[in-house]
């Protein structure tokens, strides 16, 4: 730390760059980053309204005082219909975290999630141009390198597709409630798009668990009841599809066995895809 104040510290450059990526209202402050976002039609907005996600409950579940959304519709739009940028980590060469040691190099990692009908190459150029511009404006003696570690395409299902209709029937037969169609699905966008293109068949995300399953965390879980009910849903789905193929009349009455009323059961169609740098 004896050279403090006389050299351009890398972590100061990185801090300014990362801070420049987001505005005060949570919007991404990068020119061109919202280019290509698909406008929602009336039917899609109605599906989002039907989710009925509470802003207050959602904030409490995250353990934060407030979120940027003011209405339930704003909340789901921000989560599912607009791009978002998250800063995942910052690493320095000061591995021992000594108090007065100036790191020689720093690395910041961020993920940009984009939505239909955005183009990943256009977004990469916009993000790189912004980062380079902020760095150049600092007239720093340090050097900058921008690398994209992973890029995958978005995927969105067609809820008017027959497989969605039959799957919704299977969910309702087992759970006794109509499923919600939501734009959620983790990071499976690239895989789903690849499978649809390769196999020439529509993809479907059919969940088994709950929103409280803590996916990918150390305490990830799935309720046994949901797992067993999920198996029944899949069994019912294949049965209905088999009846159609055999040409026998469809019997869409509820399947045998116990039924439950789940608070929310969702059929998923994926819309966001990660771009990590």
């Amino acid at each position: 730390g004896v050279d403090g104040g006389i050299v351009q510290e890398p972590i100061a450059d990185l801090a300014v760059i990362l801070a420049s990526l987001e505005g005060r209202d949570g919007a991404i402050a990068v020119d061109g980053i919202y280019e290509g976002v698909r406008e929602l039609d009336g039917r899609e907005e109605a599906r989002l309204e039907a989710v009925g996600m509470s802003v207050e409950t959602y904030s409490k579940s995250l353990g934060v005082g407030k979120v940027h959304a003011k209405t339930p519709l704003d909340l789901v739009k921000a989560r599912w219909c607009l791009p978002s940028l998250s800063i995942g980590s910052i690493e320095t060469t000061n591995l021992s975290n000594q108090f007065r040691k100036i790191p020689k190099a720093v690395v910041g990692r961020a993920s940009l999630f984009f939505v239909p009908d955005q183009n990943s190459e256009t977004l990469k150029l916009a993000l790189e141009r912004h980062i380079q511009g902020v760095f150049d404006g600092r007239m720093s003696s340090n050097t900058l390198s921008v690398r994209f570690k992973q890029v995958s395409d978005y995927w969105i299902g067609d809820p008017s597709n027959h497989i969605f209709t039959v799957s919704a029937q299977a969910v309702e037969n087992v759970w006794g409630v109509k499923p919600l169609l939501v734009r959620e699905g983790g990071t499976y966008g690239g895989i789903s798009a690849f499978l649809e293109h390769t196999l020439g068949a529509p993809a479907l995300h059919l969940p088994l668990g709950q929103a409280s399953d803590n996916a990918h965390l150390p305490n990830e879980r799935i309720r046994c009841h949901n797992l067993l009910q999920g198996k029944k849903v899949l069994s019912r789905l294949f049965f209905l599809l088999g009846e159609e193929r055999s040409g026998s009349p469809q019997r869409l009455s509820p399947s045998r066995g116990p039924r439950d009323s789940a608070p929310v059961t969702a059929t998923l169609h994926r819309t966001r895809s990660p771009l990590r740098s």
Side-chain angles (χ1 to χ4, degrees):
V2 295
D3 298 313
I6 197 65
V7 298
Q8 183 74 38
E9 299 189 18
I11 201 168
D13 286 338
L14 179 62
V16 172
I17 291 172
L18 295 180
S20 74
L21 296 174
E22 182 180 307
R24 294 183 60 184
D25 58 353
I28 306 173
V30 176
D31 289 342
I33 213 68
Y34 290 94
E35 182 178 335
V37 174
R38 181 186 300 181
E39 292 188 12
L40 301 179
D41 58 25
R43 290 178 299 177
E44 186 70 5
E45 284 213 357
R47 294 188 193 104
L48 298 180
E49 289 274 17
V51 175
M53 188 179 293
S54 165
V55 175
E56 181 180 0
T57 302
Y58 181 72
S59 301
K60 288 182 178 179
S61 70
L62 296 180
V64 298
K66 66 175 183 177
V67 293
H68 295 301
K70 292 182 172 57
T71 68
L73 183 58
D74 289 339
L75 176 58
V76 293
K77 278 185 175 180
R79 278 176 53 91
W80 300 335
C81 307
L82 295 172
S84 64
L85 190 147
S86 300
I87 299 169
S89 66
I90 298 175
E91 295 182 10
T92 79
T93 51
N94 183 8
L95 299 179
S96 58
N97 294 318
Q98 294 183 23
F99 184 63
R100 285 289 291 161
K101 184 177 180 180
I102 300 174
K104 181 179 180 180
V106 295
V107 176
R109 294 183 175 88
S111 296
L112 173 66
F113 289 85
F114 59 99
V115 299
D117 295 301
Q118 294 189 287
N119 179 275
S120 61
E121 292 301 317
T122 301
L123 298 178
K124 285 171 61 177
L125 290 174
L127 190 58
E128 188 169 9
R129 183 169 56 245
H130 174 90
I131 293 173
Q132 189 67 55
V134 174
F135 179 74
D136 291 345
R138 287 185 56 78
M139 305 291 288
S140 175
S141 58
N142 294 311
T143 58
L144 172 71
S145 174
V146 180
R147 299 177 183 176
F148 293 92
K149 303 288 289 185
Q150 175 190 343
V151 180
S152 59
D153 200 5
Y154 69 81
W155 172 81
I156 183 168
D158 179 8
S160 65
N161 191 289
H162 183 60
I163 189 65
F164 275 76
T165 303
V166 179
S167 299
Q169 181 66 73
V171 170
E172 186 174 0
N173 288 167
V174 173
W175 284 102
V177 293
K178 291 183 179 297
L180 295 174
L181 297 174
V182 303
R183 290 189 172 200
E184 188 80 54
T187 52
Y188 301 124
I191 298 175
S192 301
F194 170 78
L195 290 175
E196 278 196 336
H197 177 75
T198 303
L199 302 178
L204 171 76
H205 289 185
L206 189 63
L208 305 183
Q210 301 169 291
S212 57
D213 286 346
N214 302 318
H216 306 313
L217 298 178
N219 59 343
E220 182 174 0
R221 58 178 286 277
I222 184 170
R223 192 172 63 148
C224 289
H225 182 61
N226 280 74
L227 182 61
L228 295 175
Q229 290 289 88
K231 291 173 63 177
K232 293 178 183 177
V233 170
L234 292 175
S235 176
R236 183 63 176 166
L237 170 59
F238 294 141
F239 174 76
L240 294 175
L241 293 175
E243 276 196 325
E244 289 182 352
R245 187 168 182 80
S246 66
S248 59
Q250 295 186 39
R251 297 184 296 275
L252 299 182
S253 58
S255 58
R256 296 181 179 179
R259 292 171 58 165
D260 195 2
S261 59
V264 174
T265 305
T267 301
L268 307 184
H269 56 287
R270 169 74 173 147
T271 62
R272 291 155 65 93
S273 188
L275 185 158
R276 296 190 174 95
S277 64

